[in-house]
Amino acid sequence: MTPAKPTSPAQPDRAAGSPVVVAGPPGVYAPQGDTLLLLETLAREPLERGARTLDLCTGTGILAIEAARRGARATASDIDATAVTTARRNARLSGCRVRVLHGDLATPVAGERFDLVTVNPPYVPAPSSEPPAAGPGRAWDAGHDGRLLLDRICRGAPAVLAPHGVLLLVQSSLSGVAATLAALRAEGMRARVVARREQPYGPVMTARAGWFERRGLAAPGTRTEQLVVVRAVRTPGRSPERRPVPASGARADAPADHHPREA
């Protein structure tokens, strides 16, 4: 995933029942290809009325809003205060009740359990091993291998999921899909890829194409990435698979009025 040139955010199809979400201010990741792929996957996921849902790295709040529209008791969180304000505003504009909390991943809901967790985290491999402290890159840069947040999410998923709870996570093929599956299985979860979509690099990824190749993250001449949704289920009584998990580095998500993850 790489930042794309400024474009208008991809809007969900209203005919499909998805909410229209006002684009957030600069620094808040506007819905685009990865968001829409996750929305489509969410639409296929059984969701009972009153189910407890959590959307991490919520950005504009669109995934939490969609869950609320389907009758869920929706919660969302984001580490960025502007994103929290934006998600709350969008929930009000959509006429939905969403509890939006400020904090790092699931820290604001420590001790709570959810039937469904969605997350579109920063996952773009970056030359720096640490995520930016500020600026638009904070929304997408995720360390050398794009796994700074992905690995944390995989390790923490069982703690926030109810028995038989489901995690839906979207990421790029450049940030180690096999590593994600292995990390989730190492925590005793059943995990598999349930959706894929190919898309061209955006401006940020295009600018890093040579670096991706030198790092061995992409074959020479590659200018597309595959977006992948991983579905993982917490199965009570399932023992963690304590096999070695592929080495991971760092990982982050991308907020922005520029849309780095799309072409």
Side-chain angles (χ1 to χ4, degrees), residues 194-212:
V194 293
R196 300 177 186 271
R197 175 174 297 162
E198 196 84 17
Q199 71 174 27
Y201 283 176
V204 168
M205 295 195 74
T206 298
R208 294 181 188 173
W211 182 79
F212 293 154

Side-chain angles (χ1 to χ4, degrees), residues 83-182:
V84 170
T85 300
T86 300
R88 288 172 177 165
R89 180 195 64 193
N90 286 334
R92 288 195 301 271
L93 291 173
S94 297
C96 293
R97 179 174 294 180
V98 178
R99 179 178 59 151
V100 185
L101 305 175
H102 181 212
D104 180 33
L105 293 180
T107 302
V109 294
E112 297 185 41
R113 300 277 183 157
F114 297 87
D115 303 299
L116 176 69
V117 175
T118 55
V119 57
N120 181 6
Y123 52 74
V124 178
S128 173
S129 62
E130 298 296 327
R138 189 183 188 191
W140 53 79
D141 285 350
H144 290 326
D145 56 7
R147 299 198 57 83
L148 276 179
L149 289 186
L150 284 172
D151 287 329
R152 290 181 57 205
I153 291 164
C154 292
R155 288 193 300 269
V160 294
L161 286 170
H164 307 291
V166 172
L167 170 71
L168 296 177
L169 178 153
V170 66
Q171 68 171 87
S172 169
S173 55
L174 273 67
S175 49
V177 176
T180 295
L181 293 171

Side-chain angles (χ1 to χ4, degrees), residues 184-189 237-243:
L184 289 166
R185 290 166 183 164
E187 296 300 326
M189 299 184 69
R238 185 184 178 96
S239 299
E241 298 177 11
R242 294 305 177 191
R243 298 177 300 182

